[in-house]
Amino acid sequence: MEKKKTGRPSKYSTELAAEICERLSNGEPLRQICRDDHMPAWQKIYEWMARDEELSGAIARARDQGYEAIAEEALIIADNIHLGHKRVIGDDKTYTTVEDMLGHRKLQIETRLKLLAKWNPKKYGDRVTHAGDPEAPLHINNDAVALLAEAVKNLELRRNGA
């Protein structure tokens, strides 16, 4: 009697890697991809990436493309009405209306934008610059230094009674 295999597949194949990259580039999260029966556990993919720089680079590029897909999806959600049923309960009767699910659409958009800002803050995050950063070096105004030196000189002259 042959023993039945249990668990997820764990053997790497270029076809499997290509499918993972394709799905990542369409904006599908890795853990969601790995929920499919024919996919390995997400931890196994990270092990493969640690051993294979080429796979790691391909997945990184696919994720960048996926971020663009998620941003485009947020625009589509914003631009299109999504009708839904709303149940209204009144004092004397209950009725159902059909209206745009604006609150739901806002939540979908906000969630996508917040995830993008976390996953790729340089591209999708809020722009915050601090003086002295390599991208925003601190500049010293020579005129201000001269004015300060002049003020200190005047204070010293006043203190000495001149």
Side-chain angles (χ1 to χ4, degrees), residues 9 86 112 131:
K86 180 179 178 183
R112 282 160 178 77

Side-chain angles (χ1 to χ4, degrees), residues 56-57 59 63 75 77 83 97 124 155:
S56 184
I59 286 177
R63 280 186 165 153
L75 278 175
I77 293 167
L83 295 177
T97 63
Y124 298 105
L155 285 172

Side-chain angles (χ1 to χ4, degrees), residues 13-26:
S13 72
T14 54
E15 294 81 17
L16 196 59
E19 182 182 349
I20 290 166
C21 287
E22 175 70 23
R23 291 172 70 179
L24 284 170
S25 70
N26 287 324

Side-chain angles (χ1 to χ4, degrees), residues 74-136:
L75 278 175
I76 290 168
I77 293 167
D79 290 342
N80 293 292
I81 293 172
H82 180 80
L83 295 177
H85 298 278
K86 180 179 178 183
R87 190 171 183 192
V88 180
I89 301 172
D91 292 335
D92 53 344
K93 66 178 183 174
T94 300
Y95 58 95
T96 302
T97 63
V98 177
E99 59 185 55
D100 181 17
M101 298 283 95
L102 183 60
H104 182 66
R105 289 192 304 130
K106 282 181 171 181
L107 177 63
Q108 289 178 310
I109 294 165
E110 185 177 322
T111 300
R112 282 160 178 77
L113 294 178
K114 283 185 177 183
L115 285 172
L116 287 172
K118 291 286 183 187
W119 290 335
N120 192 342
K122 194 166 192 164
K123 186 170 185 177
Y124 298 105
D126 292 331
R127 303 274 190 251
V128 177
T129 51
H130 298 280
D133 285 350
E135 295 174 1

